[in-house]
Coordinates of all heavy atoms in Angstrom, one line a residue:
M1 N 0.9 -1.2 0.0 CA 0.0 0.1 0.1 C 0.9 1.2 0.0 O 0.7 2.2 -0.8 CB -0.9 0.0 1.2 CG -1.8 1.1 1.5 SD -0.9 2.3 2.6 CE -1.9 3.8 2.4
V2 N 1.9 1.2 0.9 CA 2.8 2.4 0.9 C 3.5 2.6 -0.5 O 3.5 3.7 -1.0 CB 3.9 2.2 2.0 CG1 4.9 3.3 1.9 CG2 3.1 2.3 3.4
R3 N 4.0 1.4 -1.0 CA 4.7 1.5 -2.2 C 3.9 2.2 -3.4 O 4.2 2.9 -4.2 CB 5.2 0.0 -2.6 CG 6.2 0.1 -3.7 CD 6.9 -1.3 -3.6 NE 7.6 -1.6 -2.3 CZ 8.8 -1.0 -2.1 NH1 9.4 -0.3 -3.0 NH2 9.3 -1.3 -0.9
Q4 N 2.5 1.7 -3.5 CA 1.7 2.0 -4.5 C 1.2 3.5 -4.3 O 1.3 4.3 -5.2 CB 0.5 1.1 -4.6 CG 1.0 -0.3 -4.9 CD 0.2 -0.8 -6.0 OE1 -1.0 -0.7 -6.1 NE2 0.9 -1.7 -6.7
D5 N 0.6 3.7 -3.1 CA 0.0 5.1 -2.8 C 0.9 6.1 -2.7 O 0.7 7.2 -3.2 CB -1.0 4.9 -1.6 CG -2.3 4.3 -1.9 OD1 -2.4 3.8 -3.1 OD2 -3.2 4.2 -1.1
C6 N 2.0 5.9 -1.8 CA 3.0 6.9 -1.6 C 3.9 6.9 -2.8 O 4.5 8.0 -3.1 CB 3.7 6.5 -0.3 SG 2.6 5.9 1.0
G7 N 4.1 5.8 -3.4 CA 5.1 5.7 -4.4 C 4.8 6.4 -5.6 O 5.6 7.0 -6.4
S8 N 3.5 6.7 -5.8 CA 3.1 7.4 -7.0 C 3.6 8.8 -6.9 O 3.8 9.5 -8.0 CB 1.5 7.5 -7.1 OG 0.9 8.0 -6.0
C9 N 3.8 9.3 -5.8 CA 4.4 10.7 -5.7 C 5.8 10.7 -5.2 O 6.7 11.5 -5.5 CB 3.5 11.6 -4.7 SG 2.0 12.2 -5.4
H10 N 6.2 9.7 -4.3 CA 7.5 9.7 -3.7 C 8.5 8.8 -4.3 O 9.6 8.7 -4.0 CB 7.4 9.3 -2.1 CG 6.7 10.4 -1.3 ND1 7.4 11.4 -0.9 CD2 5.4 10.5 -0.9 CE1 6.5 12.3 -0.2 NE2 5.4 11.6 -0.1
G11 N 8.0 8.2 -5.5 CA 8.9 7.2 -6.3 C 8.7 5.9 -5.8 O 8.6 5.7 -4.6
L12 N 8.7 4.9 -6.7 CA 8.4 3.6 -6.4 C 9.5 3.1 -5.4 O 9.2 2.1 -4.6 CB 8.5 2.6 -7.6 CG 7.1 2.7 -8.3 CD1 7.2 1.6 -9.6 CD2 5.9 2.2 -7.4
T13 N 10.7 3.6 -5.4 CA 11.7 3.1 -4.5 C 11.9 4.2 -3.4 O 12.8 4.1 -2.7 CB 13.1 2.9 -5.2 OG1 13.4 4.3 -5.9 CG2 13.0 1.8 -6.3
L14 N 10.8 5.1 -3.3 CA 10.8 6.1 -2.2 C 12.1 7.0 -2.4 O 12.3 7.7 -1.3 CB 10.6 5.4 -1.0 CG 9.4 4.5 -0.8 CD1 9.3 3.9 0.5 CD2 8.1 5.2 -1.1
Q15 N 12.7 7.2 -3.5 CA 13.8 8.1 -3.6 C 13.4 9.5 -3.9 O 14.3 10.3 -4.0 CB 14.7 7.5 -4.7 CG 15.3 6.1 -4.4 CD 16.3 6.0 -3.4 OE1 17.1 7.0 -3.2 NE2 16.3 4.9 -2.7
G16 N 12.1 9.7 -4.1 CA 11.7 10.9 -4.3 C 11.1 11.0 -5.7 O 11.4 10.2 -6.6
G17 N 10.2 12.0 -6.0 CA 9.6 12.2 -7.3 C 8.9 13.6 -7.1 O 9.6 14.5 -6.9
L18 N 7.6 13.6 -7.2 CA 6.9 14.8 -7.0 C 7.2 15.2 -5.5 O 7.4 16.3 -5.2 CB 5.4 14.6 -7.2 CG 4.5 15.8 -6.9 CD1 4.9 17.1 -7.7 CD2 3.1 15.5 -7.1
G19 N 7.1 14.2 -4.6 CA 7.4 14.4 -3.2 C 8.7 14.1 -2.9 O 9.4 13.6 -3.6
P20 N 9.2 14.6 -1.7 CA 10.6 14.3 -1.4 C 10.9 12.8 -1.1 O 10.0 12.1 -0.9 CB 10.9 15.1 -0.1 CG 9.5 15.3 0.5 CD 8.6 15.3 -0.7
A21 N 12.2 12.4 -1.1 CA 12.7 11.1 -0.7 C 12.2 10.7 0.7 O 12.1 11.5 1.5 CB 14.1 11.0 -0.9
L22 N 11.7 9.5 0.8 CA 11.4 9.0 2.2 C 12.2 7.9 2.6 O 11.9 6.9 3.2 CB 9.9 8.4 2.0 CG 8.8 9.4 1.6 CD1 7.5 8.7 1.6 CD2 8.7 10.5 2.8
T23 N 13.6 8.1 2.3 CA 14.6 7.1 2.7 C 15.0 7.3 4.1 O 14.9 8.5 4.6 CB 15.8 7.1 1.7 OG1 16.3 8.5 1.7 CG2 15.3 6.8 0.4
P24 N 15.6 6.4 4.7 CA 16.1 6.6 6.1 C 17.1 7.7 6.2 O 17.0 8.6 7.1 CB 16.9 5.4 6.5 CG 16.3 4.3 5.7 CD 15.8 5.0 4.4
A25 N 17.9 8.0 5.2 CA 18.8 9.1 5.2 C 18.2 10.5 5.1 O 18.5 11.4 5.8 CB 19.9 9.0 4.1
A26 N 17.1 10.5 4.3 CA 16.3 11.7 4.1 C 15.5 12.1 5.4 O 15.3 13.2 5.7 CB 15.5 11.6 2.9
L27 N 15.1 11.0 6.0 CA 14.2 11.3 7.2 C 15.0 11.5 8.5 O 14.4 11.8 9.5 CB 13.2 10.1 7.3 CG 12.2 10.0 6.2 CD1 11.2 8.9 6.4 CD2 11.4 11.4 6.0
R28 N 16.3 11.1 8.5 CA 17.1 11.1 9.7 C 17.0 12.6 10.4 O 17.1 13.6 9.6 CB 18.5 10.8 9.4 CG 19.3 10.6 10.6 CD 20.7 10.0 10.3 NE 20.6 8.7 9.7 CZ 21.2 8.2 8.6 NH1 22.0 8.9 8.0 NH2 20.8 7.1 8.2
G29 N 16.7 12.7 11.7 CA 16.8 13.9 12.3 C 15.4 14.6 12.3 O 15.2 15.6 13.0
K30 N 14.4 14.1 11.5 CA 13.2 14.8 11.5 C 12.3 14.1 12.6 O 12.3 12.9 12.7 CB 12.4 14.5 10.1 CG 13.3 15.2 9.0 CD 12.5 15.4 7.8 CE 13.6 16.2 6.8 NZ 13.0 16.2 5.4
P31 N 11.6 14.9 13.4 CA 10.8 14.3 14.5 C 9.6 13.4 13.9 O 8.9 13.8 13.0 CB 10.3 15.5 15.2 CG 10.3 16.6 14.3 CD 11.4 16.3 13.3
S32 N 9.6 12.2 14.4 CA 8.6 11.3 13.9 C 7.1 11.8 14.0 O 6.3 11.6 13.2 CB 8.7 9.9 14.3 OG 8.9 9.8 15.7
E33 N 6.8 12.6 15.1 CA 5.5 13.2 15.3 C 5.1 14.0 14.1 O 4.0 14.0 13.7 CB 5.4 13.9 16.6 CG 5.9 13.2 17.9 CD 7.4 13.5 18.0 OE1 7.7 14.7 18.4 OE2 8.1 12.5 17.9
G34 N 6.1 14.7 13.6 CA 5.9 15.6 12.6 C 5.5 14.9 11.3 O 4.7 15.3 10.5
L35 N 6.2 13.8 11.1 CA 6.0 13.0 9.9 C 4.7 12.3 9.9 O 4.0 12.2 9.0 CB 7.2 12.0 9.8 CG 8.6 12.6 9.6 CD1 9.7 11.5 9.7 CD2 8.8 13.4 8.4
V36 N 4.4 11.8 11.2 CA 3.1 11.2 11.3 C 1.9 12.1 11.0 O 1.1 11.9 10.2 CB 2.9 10.6 12.8 CG1 1.4 10.2 13.0 CG2 3.9 9.5 13.0
A37 N 2.1 13.4 11.5 CA 1.0 14.4 11.3 C 1.0 14.7 9.7 O -0.1 14.9 9.2 CB 1.4 15.7 12.0
T38 N 2.1 14.7 9.2 CA 2.2 15.0 7.7 C 1.3 13.9 7.0 O 0.6 14.2 6.0 CB 3.6 15.0 7.1 OG1 4.3 16.0 7.8 CG2 3.6 15.3 5.7
I39 N 1.5 12.7 7.4 CA 0.8 11.5 6.7 C -0.7 11.7 7.0 O -1.6 11.4 6.1 CB 1.4 10.3 7.0 CG1 2.8 10.2 6.6 CG2 0.6 9.1 6.5 CD1 3.6 9.0 7.1
V40 N -1.1 11.8 8.3 CA -2.5 11.8 8.6 C -3.3 13.0 8.1 O -4.3 12.9 7.5 CB -2.7 11.7 10.1 CG1 -4.2 11.8 10.5 CG2 -2.0 10.4 10.6
H41 N -2.6 14.2 8.2 CA -3.3 15.4 7.8 C -3.0 16.0 6.5 O -3.6 17.0 6.0 CB -3.1 16.5 8.9 CG -3.6 16.0 10.3 ND1 -4.8 15.8 10.6 CD2 -2.8 15.6 11.4 CE1 -5.0 15.4 11.9 NE2 -3.7 15.2 12.4
G42 N -1.9 15.5 6.0 CA -1.4 16.1 4.7 C -0.6 17.3 5.0 O -0.4 17.7 6.1
R43 N -0.2 18.1 3.9 CA 0.5 19.3 4.1 C -0.3 20.3 3.2 O -0.1 20.4 2.0 CB 1.9 19.2 3.7 CG 2.7 19.3 5.0 CD 4.3 19.4 4.7 NE 4.9 18.6 5.8 CZ 6.2 18.3 5.7 NH1 6.9 18.7 4.8 NH2 6.7 17.6 6.7
P44 N -1.0 21.2 4.0 CA -1.8 22.2 3.2 C -0.8 23.0 2.2 O 0.2 23.3 2.7 CB -2.3 23.1 4.3 CG -2.3 22.3 5.5 CD -1.2 21.4 5.3
G45 N -1.3 23.2 1.0 CA -0.5 24.0 0.1 C 0.5 23.2 -0.7 O 1.1 23.9 -1.5
T46 N 0.6 22.0 -0.4 CA 1.5 21.1 -1.1 C 0.6 19.8 -1.7 O -0.5 19.6 -1.2 CB 2.6 20.5 -0.3 OG1 2.1 19.4 0.5 CG2 3.2 21.6 0.5
P47 N 1.1 19.1 -2.6 CA 0.4 18.0 -3.1 C 0.2 16.9 -2.2 O -0.5 15.9 -2.4 CB 1.2 17.5 -4.4 CG 2.1 18.6 -4.8 CD 2.4 19.4 -3.4
M48 N 0.9 16.8 -1.0 CA 0.8 15.8 0.0 C -0.5 15.8 0.6 O -1.0 16.6 1.3 CB 1.9 16.0 1.1 CG 1.9 15.0 2.2 SD 2.3 13.4 1.6 CE 1.7 12.4 3.0
P49 N -1.3 14.7 0.2 CA -2.7 14.6 0.7 C -2.8 14.0 2.1 O -1.9 13.3 2.5 CB -3.3 13.6 -0.4 CG -2.2 12.7 -0.7 CD -0.9 13.5 -0.6
P50 N -3.9 14.3 2.8 CA -4.2 13.7 4.1 C -4.6 12.2 3.9 O -5.5 12.0 3.1 CB -5.3 14.5 4.6 CG -5.9 15.2 3.4 CD -5.0 15.2 2.3
F51 N -4.1 11.4 4.7 CA -4.5 9.9 4.6 C -5.4 9.5 5.8 O -5.7 8.3 5.9 CB -3.3 9.1 4.5 CG -2.6 9.0 3.2 CD1 -1.6 9.9 2.9 CD2 -3.1 8.0 2.3 CE1 -1.1 9.9 1.6 CE2 -2.6 8.0 1.1 CZ -1.6 8.9 0.7
R52 N -6.0 10.5 6.5 CA -6.8 10.1 7.5 C -8.1 9.4 6.8 O -8.5 9.9 5.8 CB -7.3 11.2 8.5 CG -8.0 12.3 7.7 CD -8.5 13.4 8.7 NE -8.9 14.5 7.9 CZ -8.0 15.6 7.6 NH1 -6.9 15.6 8.1 NH2 -8.6 16.5 6.8
G53 N -8.7 8.4 7.4 CA -9.6 7.7 6.7 C -9.1 6.4 6.2 O -9.6 5.3 6.2
L54 N -7.8 6.5 5.6 CA -7.1 5.3 5.2 C -6.3 4.8 6.3 O -6.1 3.7 6.6 CB -6.2 5.7 4.0 CG -6.9 5.5 2.6 CD1 -6.0 6.0 1.5 CD2 -7.3 4.2 2.3
L55 N -5.6 5.8 7.0 CA -4.7 5.4 8.1 C -5.0 6.2 9.3 O -5.2 7.4 9.2 CB -3.2 5.8 7.6 CG -2.6 5.1 6.4 CD1 -1.3 5.8 6.0 CD2 -2.3 3.7 6.8
D56 N -5.0 5.6 10.4 CA -5.2 6.4 11.6 C -3.7 6.7 12.2 O -2.7 6.2 11.6 CB -6.1 5.7 12.7 CG -5.4 4.4 13.2 OD1 -4.2 4.3 13.1 OD2 -6.2 3.6 13.7
E57 N -3.6 7.4 13.3 CA -2.3 7.9 13.7 C -1.3 6.7 14.1 O -0.2 6.8 13.7 CB -2.4 8.6 15.0 CG -3.4 9.9 14.9 CD -2.6 11.2 15.2 OE1 -1.7 11.3 15.8 OE2 -3.2 12.3 14.7
S58 N -1.9 5.6 14.6 CA -1.0 4.5 14.9 C -0.5 3.8 13.7 O 0.7 3.4 13.6 CB -1.7 3.6 15.9 OG -2.8 3.0 15.3
E59 N -1.3 3.8 12.7 CA -0.9 3.1 11.4 C 0.1 4.1 10.8 O 1.1 3.6 10.2 CB -2.1 2.9 10.5 CG -2.9 1.8 11.0 CD -4.3 1.6 10.4 OE1 -4.8 2.7 10.0 OE2 -4.8 0.6 10.4
A60 N -0.1 5.4 10.8 CA 0.8 6.3 10.2 C 2.1 6.2 10.9 O 3.2 6.3 10.3 CB 0.3 7.7 10.2
A61 N 2.0 6.1 12.3 CA 3.3 5.8 13.1 C 4.1 4.7 12.6 O 5.2 4.6 12.7 CB 3.0 5.9 14.6
W62 N 3.3 3.6 12.4 CA 3.9 2.4 11.9 C 4.7 2.6 10.6 O 5.8 2.1 10.4 CB 2.9 1.3 11.8 CG 3.3 0.0 11.3 CD1 3.9 -1.1 12.2 CD2 3.5 -0.5 10.1 NE1 4.2 -2.2 11.4 CE2 4.0 -1.8 10.1 CE3 3.2 -0.1 8.8 CZ2 4.3 -2.6 8.9 CZ3 3.5 -0.8 7.6 CH2 4.1 -2.0 7.7
V63 N 4.0 3.2 9.7 CA 4.6 3.6 8.4 C 5.9 4.3 8.5 O 6.9 4.0 8.0 CB 3.6 4.4 7.5 CG1 4.3 4.8 6.2 CG2 2.5 3.5 7.1
V64 N 5.8 5.4 9.5 CA 7.1 6.2 9.7 C 8.2 5.3 10.2 O 9.3 5.4 9.8 CB 6.7 7.3 10.6 CG1 8.0 8.0 11.2 CG2 5.9 8.3 10.0
E65 N 7.8 4.4 11.3 CA 8.8 3.6 11.8 C 9.6 2.8 10.7 O 10.7 2.5 10.6 CB 8.2 2.5 12.8 CG 8.3 3.0 14.2 CD 7.4 2.1 15.1 OE1 7.7 0.9 15.1 OE2 6.6 2.5 15.8
R66 N 8.7 2.1 9.8 CA 9.2 1.4 8.7 C 10.1 2.3 7.9 O 11.2 1.7 7.4 CB 8.0 0.7 8.0 CG 7.2 -0.2 8.6 CD 7.7 -1.6 8.9 NE 8.5 -1.5 10.2 CZ 7.9 -1.4 11.4 NH1 6.5 -1.5 11.5 NH2 8.7 -1.4 12.4
L67 N 9.6 3.5 7.5 CA 10.5 4.2 6.6 C 11.8 4.6 7.2 O 12.8 4.7 6.6 CB 9.7 5.6 6.3 CG 8.4 5.4 5.4 CD1 7.6 6.7 5.4 CD2 8.7 4.9 4.1
V68 N 11.8 5.0 8.5 CA 13.0 5.3 9.1 C 13.9 4.1 9.3 O 15.1 4.3 9.1 CB 12.8 5.9 10.6 CG1 14.0 6.1 11.4 CG2 12.0 7.2 10.4
E69 N 13.5 2.9 9.4 CA 14.3 1.7 9.5 C 14.9 1.4 8.0 O 15.9 0.7 8.0 CB 13.5 0.5 9.9 CG 13.3 0.5 11.3 CD 12.3 -0.7 11.8 OE1 11.9 -1.5 10.9 OE2 12.0 -0.7 12.9
G70 N 14.1 1.8 7.1 CA 14.5 1.5 5.7 C 13.4 0.5 5.2 O 13.3 -0.6 5.7
F71 N 12.7 1.0 4.2 CA 11.6 0.1 3.7 C 12.3 -1.0 2.8 O 13.2 -0.7 2.1 CB 10.7 1.0 2.9 CG 9.3 0.5 2.8 CD1 8.6 0.7 4.0 CD2 8.7 0.1 1.6 CE1 7.3 0.2 4.0 CE2 7.4 -0.4 1.7 CZ 6.7 -0.3 2.8
P72 N 11.8 -2.3 2.9 CA 12.4 -3.3 2.1 C 12.6 -2.8 0.6 O 11.5 -2.5 0.1 CB 11.6 -4.5 2.4 CG 10.5 -4.2 3.3 CD 10.7 -2.7 3.7
A73 N 13.6 -3.0 0.0 CA 13.8 -2.6 -1.4 C 12.9 -3.1 -2.3 O 12.5 -2.5 -3.2 CB 15.2 -2.7 -1.7
D74 N 12.6 -4.4 -2.2 CA 11.7 -5.2 -3.2 C 10.3 -5.5 -2.7 O 9.7 -6.3 -3.3 CB 12.5 -6.4 -3.6 CG 12.8 -7.3 -2.4 OD1 12.4 -6.9 -1.2 OD2 13.3 -8.4 -2.6
G75 N 9.8 -4.8 -1.7 CA 8.6 -5.2 -1.1 C 8.7 -6.4 -0.3 O 7.7 -6.9 0.3
G76 N 9.7 -7.0 -0.4 CA 10.3 -8.1 0.3 C 9.4 -9.0 1.2 O 8.2 -8.9 1.2
P77 N 10.0 -9.8 1.9 CA 9.3 -10.7 2.9 C 8.5 -9.9 4.0 O 8.8 -8.8 4.2 CB 10.3 -11.6 3.5 CG 11.6 -10.8 3.4 CD 11.5 -9.9 2.2
A78 N 7.6 -10.5 4.6 CA 6.8 -9.8 5.7 C 7.7 -9.5 6.7 O 8.8 -10.1 6.8 CB 5.7 -10.9 6.1
P79 N 7.4 -8.4 7.5 CA 8.2 -8.1 8.7 C 8.6 -9.3 9.5 O 7.8 -10.1 9.7 CB 7.4 -7.1 9.4 CG 6.4 -6.6 8.5 CD 6.2 -7.7 7.4
T80 N 9.8 -9.3 9.9 CA 10.4 -10.4 10.7 C 9.6 -10.7 12.0 O 9.4 -11.8 12.4 CB 11.8 -10.2 11.1 OG1 12.0 -9.0 11.5 CG2 12.8 -10.6 9.9
Q81 N 9.1 -9.6 12.6 CA 8.3 -9.7 13.7 C 7.1 -10.7 13.6 O 6.9 -11.6 14.4 CB 7.6 -8.4 14.0 CG 7.8 -7.9 15.5 CD 7.0 -6.7 15.7 OE1 6.8 -6.0 14.7 NE2 6.8 -6.4 16.9
Q82 N 6.5 -10.7 12.4 CA 5.4 -11.6 12.1 C 5.9 -12.9 11.9 O 5.3 -13.9 12.4 CB 4.6 -11.2 10.8 CG 3.6 -10.0 11.2 CD 3.0 -9.6 9.8 OE1 3.1 -10.2 8.9 NE2 2.3 -8.4 9.9
T83 N 7.0 -13.2 11.3 CA 7.6 -14.4 10.9 C 7.9 -15.1 12.3 O 7.6 -16.2 12.5 CB 8.9 -14.3 10.2 OG1 8.7 -13.3 9.1 CG2 9.3 -15.6 9.3
V84 N 8.6 -14.4 13.2 CA 9.0 -14.8 14.5 C 7.7 -15.2 15.3 O 7.6 -16.3 15.9 CB 9.8 -13.8 15.2 CG1 10.0 -14.1 16.6 CG2 11.2 -13.7 14.5
G85 N 6.7 -14.3 15.3 CA 5.5 -14.5 16.0 C 4.8 -15.8 15.6 O 4.0 -16.3 16.4
A86 N 4.9 -16.1 14.4 CA 4.2 -17.3 13.8 C 4.6 -18.6 14.3 O 4.0 -19.6 14.2 CB 4.1 -17.2 12.3
R87 N 5.8 -18.5 14.9 CA 6.4 -19.9 15.3 C 5.9 -20.2 16.6 O 5.8 -19.5 17.6 CB 7.9 -19.7 15.4 CG 8.4 -19.7 14.0 CD 9.9 -19.5 13.9 NE 10.3 -19.5 12.5 CZ 11.3 -20.3 11.9 NH1 12.0 -21.0 12.7 NH2 11.4 -20.1 10.6
Ligands
HEC101 C1 -0.2 13.3 -4.4 C2 1.2 13.1 -4.1 C3 1.6 12.4 -2.8 C4 1.2 11.2 -2.3 C5 0.2 10.4 -2.8 C6 1.9 11.1 -1.0 N1 2.8 12.2 -0.9 FE1 3.9 12.4 0.8 N2 4.5 14.3 0.1 C7 4.1 14.8 -1.1 C8 4.7 16.1 -1.3 C9 4.6 17.0 -2.4 C10 5.4 16.3 -0.2 C11 6.2 17.6 0.3 C12 5.4 18.6 1.0 C13 6.2 19.8 1.3 O1 6.6 20.5 0.3 O2 6.4 20.1 2.5 C14 5.3 15.2 0.8 C15 5.8 15.0 2.1 C16 5.7 13.8 2.8 C17 6.5 13.7 4.1 C18 7.4 14.6 4.7 C19 8.7 14.4 4.3 C20 9.7 15.3 4.9 O3 10.9 15.2 4.6 O4 9.4 16.2 5.7 C21 6.2 12.4 4.4 C22 6.7 11.8 5.7 C23 5.4 11.8 3.4 N3 5.2 12.7 2.4 C24 4.9 10.5 3.5 C25 3.9 10.0 2.6 C26 3.4 8.7 2.9 C27 3.7 7.7 3.9 C28 2.4 8.6 1.7 C29 1.6 7.4 1.5 C30 0.6 7.1 2.7 C31 2.5 9.8 0.9 N4 3.4 10.6 1.6 C32 1.7 9.9 -0.2 C33 3.3 14.3 -2.1 C34 2.5 13.0 -1.8

């Protein structure tokens, strides 16, 4: 979902496009609350749309965590947490 919806503006590899890059290097040092607010409410006056309705704050926070950690390059395997939890 992040790759498709966000990738349409931020680039399929999240290196940037219409919107800025969402890579760990680009996001380093930015407060995650601000990034979460950007995702939930959008940024007025820019093409960044609000995702409330699609994502609530905790889901947006999850997305930010994943982005800061580095999103898997190929959409890769499910998060290890789930793999571990399944055992
Ligand atoms: C319609 C195009 C569009 C879509 C879709 C979009 N964005 Fe954005 N996004 C932007 C633009 C443009 C900006 C830069 C806003 C500005 O100039 O401050 C931005 C900014 C951001 C920022 C702040 C980055 C920073 O360095 O401060 C985050 C985080 C972000 N987007 C995450 C997302 C996520 C996650 C999604 C998918 C749920 C998404 N965006 C979908 C256009 C988009």
Side-chain angles (χ1 to χ4, degrees):
M1 174 268 169
V2 170
R3 196 164 296 281
Q4 301 228 322
D5 281 7
C6 317
S8 57
C9 287
H10 291 279
L12 277 181
T13 55
L14 305 177
Q15 300 290 325
L18 176 61
L22 297 179
T23 54
L27 297 179
R28 189 167 300 137
K30 302 198 178 169
S32 48
E33 309 85 72
L35 299 174
V36 169
T38 297
I39 295 169
V40 176
H41 303 291
R43 254 188 214 170
T46 79
M48 176 66 195
F51 278 89
R52 62 174 168 267
L54 272 174
L55 294 172
D56 64 23
E57 303 235 342
S58 63
E59 287 163 335
W62 181 89
V63 171
V64 168
E65 267 173 49
R66 298 288 87 71
L67 291 171
V68 169
E69 279 173 7
F71 213 67
D74 56 359
T80 44
Q81 229 182 340
Q82 281 179 14
T83 322
V84 171
R87 290 181 178 223

